Amino acid sequence: MTRALIIIDVQNDFCPGGALAVAGGDAIVPGINALMAEFPAVILTQDWHPAGHSSFASSHPGKAPFAMTEMPYGPQVLWPDHCVQGSAGAAFHPGLNSDRADLIIRKGYNPAIDSYSAFFENDHSTATGLEGYLRSRGITDLTMVGLATDFCVNFSAVDAAGLGFAVTLRADLCRAIDMDGSLAAAMSGLAEAGVRVA
Ligand code: VGL
Ligand code: ZN
């Protein structure tokens, strides 16, 4: 059994003051840094959108942030512009010990498809390559932390469990957006998928 810590989207835009700020998003940084020491493998993900990405409300005339739209791959929340490639908002929180990361996996770079999960884009079929990386290293057990509990952490954890990894989500080291009951829905989906919530 080899374990990895997967740290989801601890980026400036998801922290207070950012474009898609999650309440208390920065409060989890010291605990995540401390947890790194317990894992032989540490992986960071980075939400990484081109300007004008199709998940941005600004790309849909007349649509407001947090409205829903229908994409060819299904329903999609429209977000404020965030994590634009190379921007300060897309950078990791300055307190995060990113030097410790073995791998940084970027997602959401396809202009036409959003990617909440670190494993598959929102069409649920286009792979990011993370599964192959983990299997190549013999990693079987994943602990997930980061932002946001109900979106990118949730979809990453559910996909990982579906792929056969043993997944633990450290809820104390995650924070949620929680729009329209999304956190409660995520928690029941995580339990159904067999993710252990600690
Ligand atoms: C996320 C919304 C849009 C996340 C990323 O990291 O949870 N949420 N892009
Ligand atoms: Zn995004």
Side-chain angles (χ1 to χ4, degrees):
M1 182 263 261
T2 306
R3 301 159 67 231
L5 178 62
I6 314 263
I7 302 165
I8 307 285
D9 299 1
V10 181
Q11 294 167 260
N12 289 323
D13 270 342
F14 298 122
C15 291
L20 181 40
V22 179
D26 53 345
I28 61 177
V29 171
I32 291 173
N33 286 339
L35 192 58
M36 291 179 186
E38 296 176 25
F39 287 82
V42 174
I43 292 151
L44 304 181
T45 74
Q46 198 170 20
D47 209 38
W48 197 249
H49 300 304
H53 192 260
S54 59
S55 75
F56 296 170
S58 62
S59 303
H60 302 259
K63 290 276 194 180
F66 306 104
M68 296 296 301
T69 194
E70 203 56 45
M71 296 289 203
Y73 54 80
Q76 167 73 46
V77 180
L78 292 173
W79 302 107
D81 290 23
H82 66 279
C83 296
V84 173
Q85 295 172 354
S87 68
F92 292 113
H93 183 284
L96 184 70
N97 181 15
S98 56
D99 291 349
R100 180 57 224 285
D102 302 336
L103 175 75
I104 297 172
I105 186 144
R106 289 172 168 168
K107 61 186 179 59
Y109 47 74
N110 183 339
I113 313 180
D114 204 359
S115 189
Y116 295 148
S117 165
F119 293 91
F120 296 102
E121 295 186 353
N122 284 9
D123 60 4
H124 303 294
S125 63
T126 306
T128 64
L130 180 57
E131 179 194 2
Y133 175 88
L134 296 172
R135 293 208 197 283
S136 298
R137 287 192 61 184
I139 291 166
T140 52
D141 289 49
L142 309 178
T143 293
M144 299 212 179
V145 298
L147 306 170
T149 321
D150 40 347
F151 286 91
C152 290
V153 179
N154 168 35
F155 281 82
S156 298
V158 168
D159 280 350
L163 290 168
F165 294 95
V167 186
T168 300
L169 187 154
R170 279 281 301 263
D172 58 321
L173 295 177
C174 298
R175 292 293 184 274
I177 294 173
D178 200 14
M179 53 176 285
D180 301 329
S182 56
L183 180 58
M187 294 317 275
S188 63
L190 287 161
E192 204 171 306
V195 173
R196 182 173 157 260
V197 178

